[in-house]
Amino acid sequence: MFCMGKNDHAAVRATLNGDKEAYGALVVRHSQSLFRVAYRITGNEADADDVVQEAFLRGYQKLESFASRSNFGTWIYRIAVRCALDKINSRRAGGPGRGAEQALPEEQSVRIAEPAAGPENLLLSGEIGAVLDMAMNSLTPAERTAFVMRHMEDRTMEEIAEAMGIQVNAAKQAVFRAVQKLRPRIASLRVTK
Amino acid sequence: MMHLSEEELIEQYYSKGKSAPRIRRHIETCAQCAQAYASLQRDIAAFPAVQPPVRDASYGERLWQSIAPALPRYESSKRSWPRRSPWRVLVYSSAAVLMIAGAFFAGRQWEHRQPPAAASNPLAHPQPVQPLVLVILSDHLDRSERLLIELKHADAGSAGTLYPLRDEARDLLISNRVCRQDTRTNNDPALAAALDHLDRLLRELNSQPGGLNAASLTRLQNQMKADDLLFEVRVLRSRFPEQQTAKSSGGSI
């Protein structure tokens, strides 16, 4: 395995010079962050694992085009976002992949951080999670991706636009529409509680 | 007073205070918009960040092991053609196209400069291989036949008719030499033999400084008869179309 102490650029250069194992170091280093965003966009583990795998495969194939870019982490992150967007687009189009609607019961609710997870709180958390999950599923793939990147990943509108391959204004509009759709659901939760 | 739209409030929320000063000032001064903004903040803040399931420390290593076999190793020095820069590929491709176009154009030019006979079907246009030589030969045989006829019927007593025969024989010797040279390259034994016989006769006829006497005339007539030279010349003349013979009959080399 390539030495983890070397930076990303050195690993990329080594990979392009024939040291395939150097890419393994990049995979290990960035797989967690890619899984996180992939899971948030796709909404289930299996799809997220597929997305991470696909992103690193695509990244390896396009590695020569990365040579002049500044940050491997940002670059591979963008690829993962594109892969995740493709995944939920194909899912919506009825293609392969498991939608959240058909997700297994244990996967159906998004996980909400609960500092004190007592039995009642866990039950409430599960109910809220199911509602939020349904709310997220009401978004289009573009709205969902833009909202996840802005609200959960704290990315700028420019980063969102570049990752999704759209104009900044289109990214802003996607975030606005997502918030407009989600607010009534959140408000209903507040009333229920 | 124009109130802020929901879009402007959302922009204010996600800009984290870096939105347009106009929006900030409006929220500070407009109670209704301030309330709307506070409501929006509550709603959005209530939407939790999705927490992905935990992946252990070996996740990346397992992931790498699963994809590594599918990845071909990059070649360090020799890059394959598709991996070259697009500009270099474009330059090489353009050069190849230009070379092919140049070769095609040169071929077309070369083809146009060839004689039509070479490009067309030889059966459709049965031209002689060496038209000039054949015209000479036809004319030569024609003149030779006339000379042989005159020689056959010549009378040693009429010396005036024999001098023109010697002059004609001198001219025919030149054309006979050309025809014999050409016959050697064309491998035509019958024609070669006839021209050889004719050459001997013409030399003999030309080499009479004082003109033909009765003895030499008889000897030449006998030689011509022995070689059956007149008959040979007539046979050879029949090889050529009458039209060509007629056309060339008045000419000379």
Side-chain angles (χ1 to χ4, degrees), chain A residues 10-175:
Chain A
V12 170
R13 277 198 300 274
T15 305
L16 292 173
N17 283 326
D19 181 5
K20 197 170 85 171
E21 292 300 310
Y23 194 72
L26 295 168
V27 171
V28 170
R29 202 173 300 164
H30 296 281
S31 56
Q32 294 282 357
S33 63
L34 260 60
F35 177 77
R36 186 192 65 225
V37 69
Y39 180 81
R40 284 172 169 170
I41 293 173
T42 60
N44 73 69
E45 286 188 58
D47 283 351
D49 283 333
D50 286 350
V51 165
V52 176
Q53 200 173 50
E54 176 70 18
F56 280 116
L57 285 169
R58 281 196 206 176
Y60 189 85
Q61 288 162 356
K62 297 177 179 175
L63 201 57
E64 281 186 322
S65 69
F66 165 72
S68 62
R69 293 172 189 269
S70 57
N71 189 309
F72 178 81
T74 306
W75 182 70
I76 198 73
Y77 180 92
R78 278 200 288 263
I79 293 176
V81 168
R82 289 282 185 96
C83 291
L85 189 55
D86 290 348
K87 176 69 83 177
I88 57 176
N89 268 323
S90 66
R91 201 164 66 189
R92 181 168 277 234
R98 201 169 32 157
E101 297 83 357
Q102 300 91 41
L104 297 174
E106 63 270 22
E107 293 177 356
Q108 203 165 20
S109 60
V110 292
R111 288 161 171 78
I112 300 171
E114 284 288 334
E120 286 183 16
N121 282 341
L122 279 174
L123 183 61
L124 185 61
S125 168
E127 289 173 1
I128 294 171
V131 172
L132 293 178
D133 204 22
M134 284 175 63
M136 287 292 282
N137 286 331
S138 71
L139 305 179
T140 66
E143 289 164 358
R144 180 179 177 125
T145 303
F147 179 74
V148 163
M149 290 187 72
R150 187 70 197 89
H151 185 74
M152 302 178 192
E153 296 282 310
D154 204 21
R155 300 284 171 169
T156 65
M157 288 298 182
E158 288 75 19
E159 287 174 325
I160 295 168
E162 192 167 359
M164 294 176 66
I166 56 176
Q167 298 291 320
V168 175
N169 270 339
K172 279 184 184 176
Q173 288 300 316
V175 173

Side-chain angles (χ1 to χ4, degrees), chain B residues 53-64:
Chain B
V54 176
R55 286 288 183 264
D56 61 26
S58 63
Y59 172 65
E61 182 62 34
R62 280 187 278 111
L63 179 67
W64 169 240

Side-chain angles (χ1 to χ4, degrees), chain B residues 47-250:
Chain B
F47 201 96
V50 174
Q51 296 302 310
V54 176
R55 286 288 183 264
D56 61 26
S58 63
Y59 172 65
E61 182 62 34
R62 280 187 278 111
L63 179 67
W64 169 240
Q65 294 306 326
S66 69
I67 64 173
L71 303 179
R73 190 178 296 278
Y74 276 94
E75 292 175 31
S76 55
S77 55
K78 286 193 297 181
R79 299 279 166 84
S80 63
W81 170 257
R83 289 180 190 156
R84 291 185 185 278
S85 73
W87 282 111
R88 190 171 293 182
V89 171
L90 188 66
V91 168
Y92 287 155
S93 303
S94 302
V97 168
L98 280 174
M99 281 180 65
I100 292 168
F104 178 76
F105 181 74
R108 289 292 298 269
Q109 291 298 312
W110 181 83
E111 193 176 47
H112 283 304
R113 285 175 186 168
Q114 296 310 300
S120 60
N121 182 3
L123 295 174
H125 303 279
Q127 295 292 327
V129 179
Q130 292 169 299
L132 178 62
V133 173
L134 279 181
V135 169
I136 292 171
L137 181 62
S138 174
D139 182 60
H140 176 67
L141 291 173
D142 191 50
R143 287 170 63 194
S144 297
E145 185 185 4
R146 285 203 300 271
L147 181 134
L148 291 174
I149 291 171
E150 287 182 31
L151 184 62
K152 183 182 176 182
H153 299 288
D155 182 5
S158 53
T161 59
L162 295 178
Y163 282 107
L165 282 180
R166 197 184 64 177
D167 294 341
E168 178 70 2
R170 191 182 299 124
D171 285 347
L172 285 173
L173 260 177
I174 298 169
S175 59
N176 198 59
R177 189 180 302 130
V178 174
C179 293
R180 285 176 74 203
Q181 284 173 353
D182 184 67
T183 305
R184 285 194 199 102
T185 58
N186 284 343
N187 193 25
D188 187 342
L191 181 60
L195 293 177
D196 284 347
H197 293 161
L198 189 60
D199 184 70
R200 280 199 300 272
L201 183 77
L202 293 173
R203 283 177 189 279
E204 193 80 22
L205 190 58
N206 186 44
S207 63
Q208 303 296 322
L212 284 173
N213 54 32
S216 57
L217 179 62
T218 305
R219 185 166 46 83
L220 286 174
Q221 287 173 335
N222 289 336
Q223 182 184 335
M224 192 176 74
K225 192 176 180 181
D227 292 339
D228 211 0
L229 191 54
L230 183 58
F231 177 75
E232 282 183 350
V233 169
R234 281 176 173 163
V235 169
L236 291 172
R237 270 196 67 223
S238 68
R239 289 185 186 181
F240 303 99
E242 190 62 30
Q243 185 185 1
Q244 194 174 40
T245 307
K247 194 188 294 179
S248 60
S249 59

